[in-house]
Amino acid sequence: MSIPEQLPITLIVITRNEAATLAQCLDSVPFVADKLVVDCGSTDATCEIAAAHGARVVVQDWLGFGPQRNFATSHARHDWILTLDADEQLTPELAAELYARLPALMRSDTAGAILRRKTLYMGKPMRWYRPMKAERIARLYHRQRARWTDARVHEALRFSGPVATFDQPFIHHHNPTLVHKHLKILRYTELKTYDWLERGKPAPLWSCPFIFIAIFLKDYFLRLAFLDGARGYVVAQIAATQAVYRRLRYFELQQNPHSRELAHKLLRQHGIEP
């Protein structure tokens, strides 16, 4: 892709131990004038790779996904921001579309834009499962017209103005193994249940069998996972299991608050920051 001039945009990536994928993420966005990596304590070569691929590195202890993204936004050099996870990258087609359309969009009163994310699962694209085929996700915004919610996990970008949509997808390299996926589930469950505790959310255990059935059927049939064959079954099974485990862990925290400290210690032994 030929880049006559870079655009006044900041690319933000929040990281912890992302050495395996960070370089391809940063290199897939050649047209931005500023690349910022906000790291929360990597013990691998993440920070060195970020610097080698043209990014500034700011170190910040983990605040939760929403607060961490808002912190990163405050350190951007430009008002327009594109944010990616380290295991994501722009396709050449999306990079070209963004470069062509962004100058006009940035002169308008648009608050941000929706991108489409295509997921590689077990090494291959999911062809039918809706959340992984062409998920619509907010990743481009003007920081005076949008803000991330303060949720510890499953944060969302809230816009205060018109929103554009781009057609070409970017790529998400899903967890490389099911082991990685289950470690991620453990982390996300801790964050989500802490939010539930603060809100006093009810999550009765008697609902768990019904939750499992509802989530499995929704993902397997309504979201078309069954059309992706055995991989679709795995996706639906894990989604339903995760929903039940989240409620079991929430119940445990209510019964034994001390388990939070014990869980933190164990997760950190495995390099996971809750």
Side-chain angles (χ1 to χ4, degrees), residues 238-250:
I238 290 177
T241 301
Q242 180 180 3
V244 170
Y245 172 68
R246 189 181 301 134
R247 285 158 176 80
L248 299 180
R249 177 64 177 139
Y250 182 52

Side-chain angles (χ1 to χ4, degrees), residues 5-230:
E5 61 177 335
Q6 293 180 322
L7 302 178
I9 299 172
T10 294
L11 168 68
I12 289 177
V13 186
I14 59 175
T15 61
R16 188 176 192 275
N17 292 338
E18 304 287 359
T21 58
L22 181 59
Q24 65 184 10
C25 172
L26 294 172
D27 291 348
S28 74
V29 192
F31 55 82
V32 297
D34 180 35
K35 296 181 181 180
L36 171 63
V37 167
V38 176
D39 189 79
C40 65
S42 289
T43 56
D44 62 6
T46 292
C47 294
E48 291 79 4
I49 290 171
H53 288 262
R56 297 182 291 126
V57 177
V58 173
V59 177
Q60 169 60 47
D61 291 341
W62 185 245
L63 302 171
F65 279 97
Q68 195 83 354
R69 292 193 190 278
N70 284 324
F71 172 86
T73 296
S74 71
H75 283 262
R77 288 178 176 164
H78 302 286
D79 286 335
W80 277 98
I81 294 167
L82 171 66
T83 181
L84 293 174
D85 293 339
D87 60 355
E88 298 170 342
Q89 64 183 109
L90 300 188
T91 59
E93 294 79 10
L94 178 56
E97 183 184 8
L98 286 166
Y99 190 70
R101 292 180 54 190
L102 278 173
L105 184 147
M106 294 166 64
R107 291 192 297 268
S108 71
D109 62 351
T110 302
I114 303 295
L115 307 184
R116 301 181 188 276
R117 183 169 74 171
K118 184 176 184 178
T119 295
L120 301 183
Y121 189 69
M122 295 187 175
K124 297 183 292 185
M126 296 293 274
R127 297 180 60 196
W128 295 97
Y129 179 53
R130 287 175 175 171
M132 291 185 177
K133 177 190 175 185
E135 180 183 12
R136 291 166 53 86
I137 189 166
R139 287 300 179 82
L140 178 71
Y141 59 102
H142 188 292
R143 64 178 163 190
Q144 302 301 324
R145 305 167 195 162
R147 179 177 173 80
W148 294 95
T149 59
D150 288 327
R152 289 186 176 92
V153 67
H154 299 146
E155 73 286 6
L157 192 57
R158 303 301 187 199
F159 295 111
S160 57
V163 178
T165 300
F166 286 80
D167 298 321
Q168 297 297 326
F170 67 99
I171 301 298
H172 175 214
H173 298 274
H174 200 270
N175 303 278
T177 70
L178 290 182
V179 176
H180 291 80
K181 174 62 176 177
H182 280 86
L183 290 174
K184 187 174 182 178
I185 287 173
L186 292 176
R187 182 192 186 198
Y188 281 21
T189 294
E190 292 299 298
L191 296 171
K192 176 59 72 174
T193 52
Y194 300 159
D195 281 344
W196 285 2
L197 284 169
E198 289 181 357
R199 303 201 313 263
K201 175 183 172 68
L205 287 185
W206 62 260
S207 67
C208 287
F210 305 102
I211 292 291
F212 182 92
I213 293 170
I215 295 295
F216 181 85
L217 293 178
K218 179 181 73 173
D219 278 44
Y220 195 63
F221 290 110
L222 297 182
R223 291 180 167 179
L224 305 182
F226 74 96
L227 293 175
D228 278 304

